[in-house]
Amino acid sequence: MNRTVLWALIAGMMLVLAGNAWMPVTDPVESNYALTAREMLEAGDFISPRIYGNFWYDKPIFFYWELIAAFSLFGVNDFAARFFPVVFSALNVGAVYCFAKKLYDERTAVCSALVFATTTSFFYLSRAIITDMAFVFFFNAVLISFYLAYRSGNRRLYLASFFFAGLAVLTKGPVGILMPGLILLVFLLVRRRTRELMHMMWVPGIAIFAAVGGYWYYRMYAMHGMDFITNFFGVHNFLRATVSEHPRDDVWYYYTLIFLLGFFPWSFVMIARVKAKWQEIRHRKWSEHVIFLVLWAGLVNVLFQLMATKYVTYTQPAFLPLAILAGRLLRDRERFVRRLAAGMGIFYLVLNFAVAVPLIQSHSGRAVAEKIESVNTGRHLVVSYGDYSASTVYYSHERIPWIVWRSEIAHEKPAGISWDAKNVMPFMAIEDLPVGEPIYVTCIPRQAERMQRELPNAKFRRLTERKYLDLYEMVIPDAAAKQKGSMD
């Protein structure tokens, strides 16, 4: 590997590793993964994801295995929770460099790797406790293996595609094979090389895919039956594709904005470079490499745009081909690329410790969990009102039920193929809260006034002063006080 890329990779890993120990787990996404892995580790069950003591079918198993492995190596702490995203970030940079060098040359590879490693999206994903950095690596490895096999004629490399597709499915679900499979199919159609499909070693390939990616699904179905099928495939895959979880984000320009912001600063550099060289690009015959990379990046964005539910990380697999295309456009300006990459590295270093660390600390339930441990010496009931904080559960080891009125529980509890099926936290009716003794309530400050209006006769005392999440002491004087007050 080029020395520049190697040192940049080492510096980048030191940066994200150095900040990990000061970055607690945040809500609402990171805490679900961390809490699930912690409960699996404590239960000694490495097959069935579980959270709040319930089986949990949100994602496949691979990322939980990553967390469990890190917790086993380093203990259950913040550094461990963010360890494997760093590992896979390094693997992704290496994949960009190696693939670009195979396609083009050393200079293009250096530029491509530096571009990829200094995007704002990489800065975020390299430390985020989510599946995406591992999934991006496996997804991209499917297509890299395919293209190298296709170009070289070494068809044994097709087996690597099946292997990585199994890992992608084990990380994110069916999209791990369906989307890269569609991309390579469209590429072969465009190149009029569909006969290559006959040479892809399907029998041993499917056997490898089934062994790597299928066994866990078989075990889950054998253990949990249709409950697993309904929730995993129904709610967390079919529903995401057909019904928007966040309707306001379901707009046609969503992933265009993600490209501009997530690929910053290189998105604007690419636009300027394409504009300057448009006539040359327009009249030049595109190489097969460029066609493959453009189809890869374009189809990832188009296919995810067609899905109803949209997240900022969904189109990250497009960033590898975009980085290589950017590296190709900028190969004759390597000094500029190195300087801008160095500048972005310094910027991220400052951003990491001046903004990211304090912001993440403020959006975690760790401080509230520490407060609960210090004040709840009598082991009184701890509950949550309003937006639920799984990170408080993760850090406190308390069983914290979500309190709602009895008439609302039926709506909030899991039911069929609907977004309500994601609410697997423990519930408790407000009517069943104990009277005459302290109850500790975690609540977002902006929702605290509503809680006090709903229980106007209860006595409240705020125990913390935070912007994201606070702890309140509540005492309900008698049973008559548990009457729903005004919501206005």
Side-chain angles (χ1 to χ4, degrees), residues 132 135-136 139-140 143 179 296-297 300 304 313-322:
D132 292 86
F135 175 68
V136 166
F139 184 108
N140 291 339
L143 291 169
M179 190 168 291
W296 177 348
V300 166
F304 276 116
T313 60
Y314 275 4
T315 54
Q316 297 310 307
F319 281 18
L320 181 146
L322 286 171

mmCIF file with all atom_site columns, all heavy atoms in Angstrom, residues 132 135-136 139-140 143 179 296-297 300 304 313-322:
data_model
loop_
_atom_site.group_PDB
_atom_site.id
_atom_site.type_symbol
_atom_site.label_atom_id
_atom_site.label_alt_id
_atom_site.label_comp_id
_atom_site.label_asym_id
_atom_site.label_entity_id
_atom_site.label_seq_id
_atom_site.pdbx_PDB_ins_code
_atom_site.Cartn_x
_atom_site.Cartn_y
_atom_site.Cartn_z
_atom_site.occupancy
_atom_site.B_iso_or_equiv
_atom_site.pdbx_formal_charge
_atom_site.auth_seq_id
_atom_site.auth_comp_id
_atom_site.auth_asym_id
_atom_site.auth_atom_id
_atom_site.pdbx_PDB_model_num
ATOM 1   N N   . ASP A 1 132 ? -23.786 0.021  9.375   1.00 0.00 ? 132 ASP A N   1
ATOM 2   C CA  . ASP A 1 132 ? -23.495 0.445  8.014   1.00 0.00 ? 132 ASP A CA  1
ATOM 3   C C   . ASP A 1 132 ? -22.057 0.294  7.564   1.00 0.00 ? 132 ASP A C   1
ATOM 4   O O   . ASP A 1 132 ? -21.800 -0.027 6.407   1.00 0.00 ? 132 ASP A O   1
ATOM 5   C CB  . ASP A 1 132 ? -23.954 1.897  7.816   1.00 0.00 ? 132 ASP A CB  1
ATOM 6   C CG  . ASP A 1 132 ? -25.463 2.002  7.874   1.00 0.00 ? 132 ASP A CG  1
ATOM 7   O OD1 . ASP A 1 132 ? -25.994 2.134  8.991   1.00 0.00 ? 132 ASP A OD1 1
ATOM 8   O OD2 . ASP A 1 132 ? -26.110 1.914  6.829   1.00 0.00 ? 132 ASP A OD2 1
ATOM 9   N N   . PHE A 1 135 ? -21.624 -3.294 6.680   1.00 0.00 ? 135 PHE A N   1
ATOM 10  C CA  . PHE A 1 135 ? -22.447 -3.619 5.515   1.00 0.00 ? 135 PHE A CA  1
ATOM 11  C C   . PHE A 1 135 ? -21.862 -3.037 4.239   1.00 0.00 ? 135 PHE A C   1
ATOM 12  O O   . PHE A 1 135 ? -21.829 -3.702 3.196   1.00 0.00 ? 135 PHE A O   1
ATOM 13  C CB  . PHE A 1 135 ? -23.872 -3.114 5.715   1.00 0.00 ? 135 PHE A CB  1
ATOM 14  C CG  . PHE A 1 135 ? -24.753 -3.295 4.512   1.00 0.00 ? 135 PHE A CG  1
ATOM 15  C CD1 . PHE A 1 135 ? -25.129 -4.560 4.097   1.00 0.00 ? 135 PHE A CD1 1
ATOM 16  C CD2 . PHE A 1 135 ? -25.188 -2.203 3.769   1.00 0.00 ? 135 PHE A CD2 1
ATOM 17  C CE1 . PHE A 1 135 ? -25.928 -4.747 2.979   1.00 0.00 ? 135 PHE A CE1 1
ATOM 18  C CE2 . PHE A 1 135 ? -25.986 -2.370 2.656   1.00 0.00 ? 135 PHE A CE2 1
ATOM 19  C CZ  . PHE A 1 135 ? -26.357 -3.649 2.260   1.00 0.00 ? 135 PHE A CZ  1
ATOM 20  N N   . VAL A 1 136 ? -21.402 -1.804 4.298   1.00 0.00 ? 136 VAL A N   1
ATOM 21  C CA  . VAL A 1 136 ? -20.795 -1.166 3.119   1.00 0.00 ? 136 VAL A CA  1
ATOM 22  C C   . VAL A 1 136 ? -19.608 -1.992 2.621   1.00 0.00 ? 136 VAL A C   1
ATOM 23  O O   . VAL A 1 136 ? -19.448 -2.206 1.407   1.00 0.00 ? 136 VAL A O   1
ATOM 24  C CB  . VAL A 1 136 ? -20.371 0.280  3.446   1.00 0.00 ? 136 VAL A CB  1
ATOM 25  C CG1 . VAL A 1 136 ? -19.449 0.839  2.364   1.00 0.00 ? 136 VAL A CG1 1
ATOM 26  C CG2 . VAL A 1 136 ? -21.595 1.180  3.595   1.00 0.00 ? 136 VAL A CG2 1
ATOM 27  N N   . PHE A 1 139 ? -21.055 -5.306 1.049   1.00 0.00 ? 139 PHE A N   1
ATOM 28  C CA  . PHE A 1 139 ? -21.787 -4.964 -0.170  1.00 0.00 ? 139 PHE A CA  1
ATOM 29  C C   . PHE A 1 139 ? -20.805 -4.653 -1.301  1.00 0.00 ? 139 PHE A C   1
ATOM 30  O O   . PHE A 1 139 ? -20.909 -5.189 -2.411  1.00 0.00 ? 139 PHE A O   1
ATOM 31  C CB  . PHE A 1 139 ? -22.680 -3.760 0.106   1.00 0.00 ? 139 PHE A CB  1
ATOM 32  C CG  . PHE A 1 139 ? -23.568 -3.335 -1.037  1.00 0.00 ? 139 PHE A CG  1
ATOM 33  C CD1 . PHE A 1 139 ? -24.938 -3.553 -0.998  1.00 0.00 ? 139 PHE A CD1 1
ATOM 34  C CD2 . PHE A 1 139 ? -23.054 -2.682 -2.156  1.00 0.00 ? 139 PHE A CD2 1
ATOM 35  C CE1 . PHE A 1 139 ? -25.763 -3.147 -2.036  1.00 0.00 ? 139 PHE A CE1 1
ATOM 36  C CE2 . PHE A 1 139 ? -23.860 -2.284 -3.201  1.00 0.00 ? 139 PHE A CE2 1
ATOM 37  C CZ  . PHE A 1 139 ? -25.223 -2.516 -3.137  1.00 0.00 ? 139 PHE A CZ  1
ATOM 38  N N   . ASN A 1 140 ? -19.839 -3.796 -1.007  1.00 0.00 ? 140 ASN A N   1
ATOM 39  C CA  . ASN A 1 140 ? -18.871 -3.415 -2.026  1.00 0.00 ? 140 ASN A CA  1
ATOM 40  C C   . ASN A 1 140 ? -17.983 -4.586 -2.427  1.00 0.00 ? 140 ASN A C   1
ATOM 41  O O   . ASN A 1 140 ? -17.595 -4.708 -3.596  1.00 0.00 ? 140 ASN A O   1
ATOM 42  C CB  . ASN A 1 140 ? -18.013 -2.253 -1.520  1.00 0.00 ? 140 ASN A CB  1
ATOM 43  C CG  . ASN A 1 140 ? -18.810 -0.963 -1.400  1.00 0.00 ? 140 ASN A CG  1
ATOM 44  O OD1 . ASN A 1 140 ? -19.856 -0.806 -2.016  1.00 0.00 ? 140 ASN A OD1 1
ATOM 45  N ND2 . ASN A 1 140 ? -18.312 -0.035 -0.601  1.00 0.00 ? 140 ASN A ND2 1
ATOM 46  N N   . LEU A 1 143 ? -19.445 -6.683 -5.275  1.00 0.00 ? 143 LEU A N   1
ATOM 47  C CA  . LEU A 1 143 ? -19.302 -6.127 -6.614  1.00 0.00 ? 143 LEU A CA  1
ATOM 48  C C   . LEU A 1 143 ? -17.845 -6.063 -7.060  1.00 0.00 ? 143 LEU A C   1
ATOM 49  O O   . LEU A 1 143 ? -17.540 -6.255 -8.241  1.00 0.00 ? 143 LEU A O   1
ATOM 50  C CB  . LEU A 1 143 ? -19.936 -4.739 -6.656  1.00 0.00 ? 143 LEU A CB  1
ATOM 51  C CG  . LEU A 1 143 ? -21.467 -4.761 -6.525  1.00 0.00 ? 143 LEU A CG  1
ATOM 52  C CD1 . LEU A 1 143 ? -22.019 -3.369 -6.291  1.00 0.00 ? 143 LEU A CD1 1
ATOM 53  C CD2 . LEU A 1 143 ? -22.107 -5.377 -7.760  1.00 0.00 ? 143 LEU A CD2 1
ATOM 54  N N   . MET A 1 179 ? -29.703 -6.182 -4.085  1.00 0.00 ? 179 MET A N   1
ATOM 55  C CA  . MET A 1 179 ? -29.254 -4.962 -4.751  1.00 0.00 ? 179 MET A CA  1
ATOM 56  C C   . MET A 1 179 ? -27.951 -5.144 -5.518  1.00 0.00 ? 179 MET A C   1
ATOM 57  O O   . MET A 1 179 ? -27.872 -4.764 -6.697  1.00 0.00 ? 179 MET A O   1
ATOM 58  C CB  . MET A 1 179 ? -29.152 -3.805 -3.759  1.00 0.00 ? 179 MET A CB  1
ATOM 59  C CG  . MET A 1 179 ? -28.936 -2.464 -4.437  1.00 0.00 ? 179 MET A CG  1
ATOM 60  S SD  . MET A 1 179 ? -29.155 -1.052 -3.346  1.00 0.00 ? 179 MET A SD  1
ATOM 61  C CE  . MET A 1 179 ? -30.919 -1.113 -3.043  1.00 0.00 ? 179 MET A CE  1
ATOM 62  N N   . TRP A 1 296 ? -23.026 1.364  -10.814 1.00 0.00 ? 296 TRP A N   1
ATOM 63  C CA  . TRP A 1 296 ? -23.000 0.997  -9.399  1.00 0.00 ? 296 TRP A CA  1
ATOM 64  C C   . TRP A 1 296 ? -23.504 2.159  -8.545  1.00 0.00 ? 296 TRP A C   1
ATOM 65  O O   . TRP A 1 296 ? -24.444 2.013  -7.754  1.00 0.00 ? 296 TRP A O   1
ATOM 66  C CB  . TRP A 1 296 ? -21.584 0.605  -9.054  1.00 0.00 ? 296 TRP A CB  1
ATOM 67  C CG  . TRP A 1 296 ? -21.263 0.258  -7.641  1.00 0.00 ? 296 TRP A CG  1
ATOM 68  C CD1 . TRP A 1 296 ? -22.033 0.442  -6.519  1.00 0.00 ? 296 TRP A CD1 1
ATOM 69  C CD2 . TRP A 1 296 ? -20.037 -0.336 -7.194  1.00 0.00 ? 296 TRP A CD2 1
ATOM 70  N NE1 . TRP A 1 296 ? -21.365 0.005  -5.417  1.00 0.00 ? 296 TRP A NE1 1
ATOM 71  C CE2 . TRP A 1 296 ? -20.150 -0.480 -5.787  1.00 0.00 ? 296 TRP A CE2 1
ATOM 72  C CE3 . TRP A 1 296 ? -18.878 -0.744 -7.828  1.00 0.00 ? 296 TRP A CE3 1
ATOM 73  C CZ2 . TRP A 1 296 ? -19.112 -1.030 -5.021  1.00 0.00 ? 296 TRP A CZ2 1
ATOM 74  C CZ3 . TRP A 1 296 ? -17.852 -1.294 -7.071  1.00 0.00 ? 296 TRP A CZ3 1
ATOM 75  C CH2 . TRP A 1 296 ? -17.975 -1.431 -5.685  1.00 0.00 ? 296 TRP A CH2 1
ATOM 76  N N   . ALA A 1 297 ? -22.892 3.327  -8.692  1.00 0.00 ? 297 ALA A N   1
ATOM 77  C CA  . ALA A 1 297 ? -23.274 4.483  -7.884  1.00 0.00 ? 297 ALA A CA  1
ATOM 78  C C   . ALA A 1 297 ? -24.698 4.940  -8.197  1.00 0.00 ? 297 ALA A C   1
ATOM 79  O O   . ALA A 1 297 ? -25.480 5.238  -7.294  1.00 0.00 ? 297 ALA A O   1
ATOM 80  C CB  . ALA A 1 297 ? -22.291 5.632  -8.112  1.00 0.00 ? 297 ALA A CB  1
ATOM 81  N N   . VAL A 1 300 ? -27.528 2.358  -6.937  1.00 0.00 ? 300 VAL A N   1
ATOM 82  C CA  . VAL A 1 300 ? -27.698 2.389  -5.481  1.00 0.00 ? 300 VAL A CA  1
ATOM 83  C C   . VAL A 1 300 ? -28.593 3.550  -5.087  1.00 0.00 ? 300 VAL A C   1
ATOM 84  O O   . VAL A 1 300 ? -29.535 3.405  -4.291  1.00 0.00 ? 300 VAL A O   1
ATOM 85  C CB  . VAL A 1 300 ? -26.331 2.486  -4.773  1.00 0.00 ? 300 VAL A CB  1
ATOM 86  C CG1 . VAL A 1 300 ? -26.511 2.855  -3.296  1.00 0.00 ? 300 VAL A CG1 1
ATOM 87  C CG2 . VAL A 1 300 ? -25.575 1.167  -4.865  1.00 0.00 ? 300 VAL A CG2 1
ATOM 88  N N   . PHE A 1 304 ? -32.611 2.948  -3.811  1.00 0.00 ? 304 PHE A N   1
ATOM 89  C CA  . PHE A 1 304 ? -32.992 3.371  -2.466  1.00 0.00 ? 304 PHE A CA  1
ATOM 90  C C   . PHE A 1 304 ? -33.959 4.552  -2.505  1.00 0.00 ? 304 PHE A C   1
ATOM 91  O O   . PHE A 1 304 ? -34.793 4.703  -1.611  1.00 0.00 ? 304 PHE A O   1
ATOM 92  C CB  . PHE A 1 304 ? -31.752 3.717  -1.639  1.00 0.00 ? 304 PHE A CB  1
ATOM 93  C CG  . PHE A 1 304 ? -31.099 2.518  -1.005  1.00 0.00 ? 304 PHE A CG  1
ATOM 94  C CD1 . PHE A 1 304 ? -29.825 2.138  -1.359  1.00 0.00 ? 304 PHE A CD1 1
ATOM 95  C CD2 . PHE A 1 304 ? -31.781 1.761  -0.055  1.00 0.00 ? 304 PHE A CD2 1
ATOM 96  C CE1 . PHE A 1 304 ? -29.216 1.031  -0.779  1.00 0.00 ? 304 PHE A CE1 1
ATOM 97  C CE2 . PHE A 1 304 ? -31.188 0.653  0.534   1.00 0.00 ? 304 PHE A CE2 1
ATOM 98  C CZ  . PHE A 1 304 ? -29.902 0.282  0.170   1.00 0.00 ? 304 PHE A CZ  1
ATOM 99  N N   . THR A 1 313 ? -27.909 6.938  5.822   1.00 0.00 ? 313 THR A N   1
ATOM 100 C CA  . THR A 1 313 ? -26.809 6.005  5.571   1.00 0.00 ? 313 THR A CA  1
ATOM 101 C C   . THR A 1 313 ? -27.099 4.993  4.469   1.00 0.00 ? 313 THR A C   1
ATOM 102 O O   . THR A 1 313 ? -26.199 4.235  4.089   1.00 0.00 ? 313 THR A O   1
ATOM 103 C CB  . THR A 1 313 ? -26.480 5.230  6.861   1.00 0.00 ? 313 THR A CB  1
ATOM 104 O OG1 . THR A 1 313 ? -27.638 4.488  7.277   1.00 0.00 ? 313 THR A OG1 1
ATOM 105 C CG2 . THR A 1 313 ? -26.067 6.176  7.974   1.00 0.00 ? 313 THR A CG2 1
ATOM 106 N N   . TYR A 1 314 ? -28.311 4.949  3.954   1.00 0.00 ? 314 TYR A N   1
ATOM 107 C CA  . TYR A 1 314 ? -28.674 3.873  3.037   1.00 0.00 ? 314 TYR A CA  1
ATOM 108 C C   . TYR A 1 314 ? -27.813 3.835  1.777   1.00 0.00 ? 314 TYR A C   1
ATOM 109 O O   . TYR A 1 314 ? -27.489 2.773  1.264   1.00 0.00 ? 314 TYR A O   1
ATOM 110 C CB  . TYR A 1 314 ? -30.150 3.996  2.642   1.00 0.00 ? 314 TYR A CB  1
ATOM 111 C CG  . TYR A 1 314 ? -31.116 3.348  3.616   1.00 0.00 ? 314 TYR A CG  1
ATOM 112 C CD1 . TYR A 1 314 ? -30.679 2.771  4.794   1.00 0.00 ? 314 TYR A CD1 1
ATOM 113 C CD2 . TYR A 1 314 ? -32.474 3.316  3.340   1.00 0.00 ? 314 TYR A CD2 1
ATOM 114 C CE1 . TYR A 1 314 ? -31.568 2.175  5.676   1.00 0.00 ? 314 TYR A CE1 1
ATOM 115 C CE2 . TYR A 1 314 ? -33.376 2.721  4.221   1.00 0.00 ? 314 TYR A CE2 1
ATOM 116 C CZ  . TYR A 1 314 ? -32.918 2.161  5.388   1.00 0.00 ? 314 TYR A CZ  1
ATOM 117 O OH  . TYR A 1 314 ? -33.804 1.574  6.249   1.00 0.00 ? 314 TYR A OH  1
ATOM 118 N N   . THR A 1 315 ? -27.458 4.984  1.228   1.00 0.00 ? 315 THR A N   1
ATOM 119 C CA  . THR A 1 315 ? -26.748 5.008  -0.061  1.00 0.00 ? 315 THR A CA  1
ATOM 120 C C   . THR A 1 315 ? -25.228 5.028  0.094   1.00 0.00 ? 315 THR A C   1
ATOM 121 O O   . THR A 1 315 ? -24.509 5.313  -0.869  1.00 0.00 ? 315 THR A O   1
ATOM 122 C CB  . THR A 1 315 ? -27.193 6.222  -0.902  1.00 0.00 ? 315 THR A CB  1
ATOM 123 O OG1 . THR A 1 315 ? -27.023 7.420  -0.127  1.00 0.00 ? 315 THR A OG1 1
ATOM 124 C CG2 . THR A 1 315 ? -28.639 6.082  -1.328  1.00 0.00 ? 315 THR A CG2 1
ATOM 125 N N   . GLN A 1 316 ? -24.722 4.680  1.263   1.00 0.00 ? 316 GLN A N   1
ATOM 126 C CA  . GLN A 1 316 ? -23.269 4.682  1.465   1.00 0.00 ? 316 GLN A CA  1
ATOM 127 C C   . GLN A 1 316 ? -22.519 3.726  0.535   1.00 0.00 ? 316 GLN A C   1
ATOM 128 O O   . GLN A 1 316 ? -21.362 4.002  0.184   1.00 0.00 ? 316 GLN A O   1
ATOM 129 C CB  . GLN A 1 316 ? -22.949 4.351  2.921   1.00 0.00 ? 316 GLN A CB  1
ATOM 130 C CG  . GLN A 1 316 ? -23.473 5.353  3.924   1.00 0.00 ? 316 GLN A CG  1
ATOM 131 C CD  . GLN A 1 316 ? -23.109 6.785  3.581   1.00 0.00 ? 316 GLN A CD  1
ATOM 132 O OE1 . GLN A 1 316 ? -21.943 7.088  3.375   1.00 0.00 ? 316 GLN A OE1 1
ATOM 133 N NE2 . GLN A 1 316 ? -24.098 7.651  3.489   1.00 0.00 ? 316 GLN A NE2 1
ATOM 134 N N   . PRO A 1 317 ? -23.098 2.585  0.101   1.00 0.00 ? 317 PRO A N   1
ATOM 135 C CA  . PRO A 1 317 ? -22.368 1.743  -0.849  1.00 0.00 ? 317 PRO A CA  1
ATOM 136 C C   . PRO A 1 317 ? -22.009 2.448  -2.155  1.00 0.00 ? 317 PRO A C   1
ATOM 137 O O   . PRO A 1 317 ? -21.122 1.984  -2.878  1.00 0.00 ? 317 PRO A O   1
ATOM 138 C CB  . PRO A 1 317 ? -23.337 0.576  -1.092  1.00 0.00 ? 317 PRO A CB  1
ATOM 139 C CG  . PRO A 1 317 ? -24.132 0.480  0.160   1.00 0.00 ? 317 PRO A CG  1
ATOM 140 C CD  . PRO A 1 317 ? -24.323 1.910  0.596   1.00 0.00 ? 317 PRO A CD  1
ATOM 141 N N   . ALA A 1 318 ? -22.688 3.554  -2.455  1.00 0.00 ? 318 ALA A N   1
ATOM 142 C CA  . ALA A 1 318 ? -22.362 4.300  -3.676  1.00 0.00 ? 318 ALA A CA  1
ATOM 143 C C   . ALA A 1 318 ? -21.094 5.127  -3.530  1.00 0.00 ? 318 ALA A C   1
ATOM 144 O O   . ALA A 1 318 ? -20.536 5.592  -4.526  1.00 0.00 ? 318 ALA A O   1
ATOM 145 C CB  . ALA A 1 318 ? -23.529 5.216  -4.051  1.00 0.00 ? 318 ALA A CB  1
ATOM 146 N N   . PHE A 1 319 ? -20.627 5.317  -2.300  1.00 0.00 ? 319 PHE A N   1
ATOM 147 C CA  . PHE A 1 319 ? -19.507 6.223  -2.103  1.00 0.00 ? 319 PHE A CA  1
ATOM 148 C C   . PHE A 1 319 ? -18.179 5.625  -2.557  1.00 0.00 ? 319 PHE A C   1
ATOM 149 O O   . PHE A 1 319 ? -17.242 6.367  -2.871  1.00 0.00 ? 319 PHE A O   1
ATOM 150 C CB  . PHE A 1 319 ? -19.427 6.665  -0.634  1.00 0.00 ? 319 PHE A CB  1
ATOM 151 C CG  . PHE A 1 319 ? -20.418 7.751  -0.290  1.00 0.00 ? 319 PHE A CG  1
ATOM 152 C CD1 . PHE A 1 319 ? -21.517 7.991  -1.102  1.00 0.00 ? 319 PHE A CD1 1
ATOM 153 C CD2 . PHE A 1 319 ? -20.256 8.532  0.826   1.00 0.00 ? 319 PHE A CD2 1
ATOM 154 C CE1 . PHE A 1 319 ? -22.436 8.990  -0.809  1.00 0.00 ? 319 PHE A CE1 1
ATOM 155 C CE2 . PHE A 1 319 ? -21.157 9.539  1.148   1.00 0.00 ? 319 PHE A CE2 1
ATOM 156 C CZ  . PHE A 1 319 ? -22.251 9.766  0.317   1.00 0.00 ? 319 PHE A CZ  1
ATOM 157 N N   . LEU A 1 320 ? -18.032 4.304  -2.587  1.00 0.00 ? 320 LEU A N   1
ATOM 158 C CA  . LEU A 1 320 ? -16.796 3.711  -3.105  1.00 0.00 ? 320 LEU A CA  1
ATOM 159 C C   . LEU A 1 320 ? -16.637 3.999  -4.595  1.00 0.00 ? 320 LEU A C   1
ATOM 160 O O   . LEU A 1 320 ? -15.594 4.534  -5.010  1.00 0.00 ? 320 LEU A O   1
ATOM 161 C CB  . LEU A 1 320 ? -16.740 2.217  -2.819  1.00 0.00 ? 320 LEU A CB  1
ATOM 162 C CG  . LEU A 1 320 ? -15.465 1.504  -3.291  1.00 0.00 ? 320 LEU A CG  1
ATOM 163 C CD1 . LEU A 1 320 ? -15.082 0.377  -2.336  1.00 0.00 ? 320 LEU A CD1 1
ATOM 164 C CD2 . LEU A 1 320 ? -15.617 0.926  -4.704  1.00 0.00 ? 320 LEU A CD2 1
ATOM 165 N N   . PRO A 1 321 ? -17.611 3.666  -5.440  1.00 0.00 ? 321 PRO A N   1
ATOM 166 C CA  . PRO A 1 321 ? -17.431 4.010  -6.856  1.00 0.00 ? 321 PRO A CA  1
ATOM 167 C C   . PRO A 1 321 ? -17.321 5.506  -7.090  1.00 0.00 ? 321 PRO A C   1
ATOM 168 O O   . PRO A 1 321 ? -16.561 5.950  -7.967  1.00 0.00 ? 321 PRO A O   1
ATOM 169 C CB  . PRO A 1 321 ? -18.675 3.424  -7.528  1.00 0.00 ? 321 PRO A CB  1
ATOM 170 C CG  . PRO A 1 321 ? -19.684 3.254  -6.442  1.00 0.00 ? 321 PRO A CG  1
ATOM 171 C CD  . PRO A 1 321 ? -18.878 2.936  -5.221  1.00 0.00 ? 321 PRO A CD  1
ATOM 172 N N   . LEU A 1 322 ? -18.035 6.308  -6.304  1.00 0.00 ? 322 LEU A N   1
ATOM 173 C CA  . LEU A 1 322 ? -17.914 7.760  -6.455  1.00 0.00 ? 322 LEU A CA  1
ATOM 174 C C   . LEU A 1 322 ? -16.509 8.239  -6.093  1.00 0.00 ? 322 LEU A C   1
ATOM 175 O O   . LEU A 1 322 ? -15.958 9.129  -6.757  1.00 0.00 ? 322 LEU A O   1
ATOM 176 C CB  . LEU A 1 322 ? -18.945 8.458  -5.566  1.00 0.00 ? 322 LEU A CB  1
ATOM 177 C CG  . LEU A 1 322 ? -20.399 8.404  -6.046  1.00 0.00 ? 322 LEU A CG  1
ATOM 178 C CD1 . LEU A 1 322 ? -21.335 8.947  -4.977  1.00 0.00 ? 322 LEU A CD1 1
ATOM 179 C CD2 . LEU A 1 322 ? -20.579 9.185  -7.352  1.00 0.00 ? 322 LEU A CD2 1
#
